[in-house]
Amino acid sequence: MIKNRLRQGIVDLPRQELTAEVEALGKELKRVIDRRFKGSFQIREVDTGSCGACESEIISTTNPIYDIQRFGVSFVASPKHADALLVTGPVSRNMLLALQKTYEALPGEKFVITVGDCALNGGLFKDSYYTLGGVDKVLKVDLHIPGCPPSPTTIIRHLLAFLAA
């Protein structure tokens, strides 16, 4: 993440341009969620050992600029109320059991979404004795959102593409 930040510098879109893109993506996301999930798509998030950057971007999706909840997406405390499991970070040995139990507690059809490069293959931590690697070594992953970390707009765009398919 630090290497990417130093290479890219600070990327900031003018607020009006960002807002227009988020509004367009959000309206389409709301339409898809209304059709497939009767108005709300609930996500339970589990951090299995990340550095916190992906969580920061996920939290940003709920801030006043993005406000993903107005488009029907919300984060819930219990997996029993969730439509999907969202996982960040490489799977650390300490979080393996918690990840498996959270997955088992999801009702009905289970979607697993991973966010960030660490969740894909372990990222910076992939050769560590402390991790098992990517989430796909433990659970079947339905959607991966790439990036280190992915921006809130990237997260919304990938969710839309996945749910619309």
Side-chain angles (χ1 to χ4, degrees):
M1 179 179 88
I2 294 171
K3 191 164 91 181
N4 285 342
R5 290 290 184 214
L6 292 174
R7 191 175 342 135
Q8 292 177 338
I10 297 174
V11 179
D12 194 13
L13 293 174
R15 188 179 168 106
Q16 289 179 333
E17 184 179 327
L18 178 63
T19 303
E21 181 182 9
V22 170
E23 285 297 319
L25 288 171
K27 284 181 182 174
E28 183 63 19
L29 183 61
K30 177 73 176 148
R31 188 184 64 75
V32 169
I33 288 173
D34 285 347
R35 182 174 43 89
R36 284 192 65 187
F37 296 95
K38 299 180 181 172
S40 70
F41 183 67
Q42 314 283 325
I43 298 172
R44 171 68 177 130
E45 195 229 337
V46 174
D47 176 355
T48 57
S50 77
C51 67
C54 291
E55 281 71 35
S56 177
E57 297 301 308
I58 291 166
I59 290 168
S60 292
T61 64
T62 63
N63 73 19
I65 295 173
Y66 300 96
D67 193 12
I68 197 170
Q69 291 176 320
R70 68 188 155 126
F71 305 125
V73 178
S74 60
F75 294 89
V76 294
S78 171
K80 293 180 180 178
H81 302 149
D83 297 306
L85 176 63
L86 187 147
V87 185
T88 60
V91 180
S92 66
R93 295 184 188 280
N94 284 349
M95 287 300 293
L96 176 61
L97 183 59
L99 177 63
Q100 291 171 327
K101 284 188 172 188
T102 303
Y103 177 78
E104 290 167 8
L106 289 172
E109 188 178 9
K110 301 176 181 184
F111 297 114
V112 176
I113 302 167
T114 57
V115 174
D117 294 345
C118 294
L120 177 65
N121 60 14
L124 293 172
F125 311 101
K126 70 180 167 188
D127 294 326
S128 169
Y129 71 94
Y130 187 66
T131 67
L132 302 171
V135 175
D136 67 336
K137 295 210 164 95
V138 179
L139 301 173
K140 177 186 166 284
V141 175
D142 298 295
L143 168 67
H144 174 68
I145 301 175
C148 182
S151 70
T153 306
T154 300
I155 294 170
I156 294 169
R157 186 178 299 118
H158 279 80
L159 275 178
L160 172 60
F162 172 69
L163 295 174

